[in-house]
Amino acid sequence: MANKWFETVAVAQRRAKKRLPKSVYGALIAGAEAGVTIRDNVAAFSELGFAPHVAGLPASREMATTVMGQPISLPVLISPTGVQAVHPDGEVAVARAAAARGTAMGLSSFASKPIEQVIAANPQTFFQMYWVGTRDDMAARMERARAAGAVGLIVTLDWSFSFGRDWGSPRIPEKMTLQEMMRQAPSVVTRPSYLYSWLRNGVVPDLTVPNLPVGGAPAPTFFGAYGQWMGSAPPSWEDVTWLRSQWDGPFMLKGVTRIDDAKRAVDAGVTAISVSNHGGNNLDGTPATIRLLPDIARTVGDQVEVLLDGGVRRGGDVVKALALGARAVMIGRAYLWGLGANGQAGVENVLDLMRSGIDACLLGLGHSSISELSADDLVIPPGFTRRLGG
């Protein structure tokens, strides 16, 4: 049997591209418009260098931390994403992998598996919500998450419904009908291991979002849910404060790129913020999150936990983010490529790569703990950072 272990996230990406149908892989790449932000998210990390020591290095290194009250074995969390059609076990496989590697998971309200199943696989699950529908709808979803045992809430508001990609968007069907399966057949039969994984489980991609409906309504299709989202009035800061008042546990606001927004999030009473541009899927031309992180962390990092997501592909990227003020990072495409390449084991592989990369950097930088990291460990070129809104 071929060795399915991969040595970098880039290899996982290549294997996922080879294994997944073109439309599924294209949905994982995503991005927006010209792809300026998605490229900068990754490229900006390579502009930062390290300042290593040569001797007196620590024999052991500690990378455990806590995020929103949850102890985790490394400063890397699973970011909430919808993984319809990537793997039959979807978010349940991801949850098991995260639990096996001692970290927490964010579960998207647009996910393909019910929250109850995911929390059974990983009790350290944060439930993520977009503002869809009315306050009553939002309250009902929060109550379901609370009853299921979610340990915290993530609210994502950074979405402007920009559309169109210069490289073209993948075809994503409304539902997997017989006619649609016939249309998809030519691309699927050329991916035998992908096809076999679904046939072995006796299912086809469902393409519904079971965590969104309220009041006993049936689960809408992904595009049906997206339409509800687009038709909802954008939330105000008063709505954010109201949401916070309705949830009595840890609460993260995801999608912060500006200092003034970070301050308002603090005023709203959040536990944590994630410096995020939705992985380059939102407003193209927004700077890379690693460029925005230092000033935001410097301004509010003593009042709330500051996380980062966007462009993280290796343990060295995690270390750079921590050195610039992040408490931890959230990964998205990296673990999705692992899932696409080798299921649960592929996600575990990605987390193992993150861990080993962080450990190697701590050793080289002469630190015994991630808590010792600072900007002094980095080579930061002039003009690297971007300061927005303050």
Side-chain angles (χ1 to χ4, degrees), residues 78-79 81-101 103 105-108 111-125 198 201 210-211 335-336 339 343-345 347-348 351:
I78 297 296
S79 190
T81 64
V83 298
Q84 285 91 346
V86 177
H87 188 276
D89 292 335
E91 294 86 0
V92 173
V94 178
R96 290 172 182 153
R101 294 303 183 261
T103 195
M105 170 167 177
L107 176 69
S108 173
S112 62
K113 300 295 182 183
I115 184 172
E116 293 81 7
Q117 290 183 19
V118 175
I119 290 178
N122 187 346
Q124 290 186 293
T125 295
W198 288 93
N201 283 270
N211 297 309
Y335 83 79
L336 290 173
L339 181 68
Q344 177 182 334
V347 180
E348 294 173 359
L351 290 170

Side-chain angles (χ1 to χ4, degrees), residues 302-363:
D302 61 343
Q303 301 170 77
V304 295
E305 297 178 6
V306 178
L307 286 80
L308 171 140
D309 69 78
V312 176
R313 299 291 185 268
R314 61 192 77 243
D317 296 340
V318 180
V319 168
K320 290 172 182 177
L322 270 57
L324 292 179
R327 187 176 188 87
V329 306
M330 303 178 80
I331 58 171
R333 288 183 181 88
Y335 83 79
L336 290 173
W337 289 328
L339 181 68
N342 194 25
Q344 177 182 334
V347 180
E348 294 173 359
N349 194 156
V350 167
L351 290 170
D352 289 342
L353 294 174
M354 295 291 168
R355 186 187 302 277
S356 63
I358 295 168
D359 186 67
C361 288
L362 288 176
L363 176 62

Side-chain angles (χ1 to χ4, degrees), residues 37-60:
T37 298
I38 189 175
R39 289 193 299 271
D40 194 36
N41 271 351
V42 176
F45 277 104
S46 66
E47 296 179 23
L48 296 170
F50 289 117
H53 289 280
V54 68
L57 307 180
S60 61

Side-chain angles (χ1 to χ4, degrees), residues 35-279:
V36 172
T37 298
I38 189 175
R39 289 193 299 271
D40 194 36
N41 271 351
V42 176
F45 277 104
S46 66
E47 296 179 23
L48 296 170
F50 289 117
H53 289 280
V54 68
L57 307 180
S60 61
R61 281 77 57 191
E62 178 58 59
M63 61 188 77
T65 188
T66 61
V67 171
M68 296 212 296
Q70 294 299 307
I72 53 178
S73 69
L74 76 167
V76 180
L77 295 85
I78 297 296
S79 190
T81 64
V83 298
Q84 285 91 346
V86 177
H87 188 276
D89 292 335
E91 294 86 0
V92 173
V94 178
R96 290 172 182 153
R101 294 303 183 261
T103 195
M105 170 167 177
L107 176 69
S108 173
S109 57
F110 276 47
S112 62
K113 300 295 182 183
I115 184 172
E116 293 81 7
Q117 290 183 19
V118 175
I119 290 178
N122 187 346
Q124 290 186 293
T125 295
F126 303 115
F127 183 60
Q128 178 271 345
M129 298 172 62
Y130 298 105
W131 189 277
V132 180
T134 65
R135 283 190 175 188
D136 287 344
D137 294 334
M138 298 294 285
R141 294 184 192 109
M142 283 189 280
E143 181 54 38
R144 178 180 174 185
R146 185 181 292 112
V151 295
L153 196 69
I154 300 174
V155 175
T156 305
L157 301 181
D158 63 322
W159 196 254
S160 58
F161 302 103
S162 59
F163 61 91
R165 302 176 176 99
D166 288 353
W167 52 94
S169 295
R171 174 183 170 80
I172 303 176
E174 176 77 11
K175 58 178 63 175
M176 198 57 71
T177 62
L178 178 60
Q179 181 181 15
E180 185 60 38
M181 285 190 282
M182 294 295 292
R183 183 181 288 113
Q184 296 282 342
S187 64
V188 174
V189 296
T190 60
R191 302 291 191 269
S193 63
Y194 173 83
L195 178 60
Y196 175 70
S197 70
W198 288 93
L199 293 176
R200 183 179 57 198
N201 283 270
V203 295
V204 297
D206 185 40
L207 304 184
T208 62
V209 288
N211 297 309
L212 199 67
V214 297
T221 64
F222 183 87
F223 282 112
Y226 195 81
Q228 293 178 37
W229 185 17
M230 291 184 69
S232 301
S236 64
W237 279 106
E238 288 72 23
D239 289 322
V240 175
T241 302
W242 173 82
L243 271 175
R244 181 63 183 107
S245 73
Q246 299 300 302
W247 183 264
D248 56 4
F251 184 105
M252 178 192 296
L253 183 64
K254 187 174 182 289
V256 175
T257 60
R258 297 170 55 101
I259 291 171
D260 50 0
D261 283 348
K263 291 179 177 178
R264 296 199 73 167
V266 171
D267 292 341
V270 306
T271 311
I273 61 172
S274 181
V275 179
S276 170
N277 53 37
H278 220 108

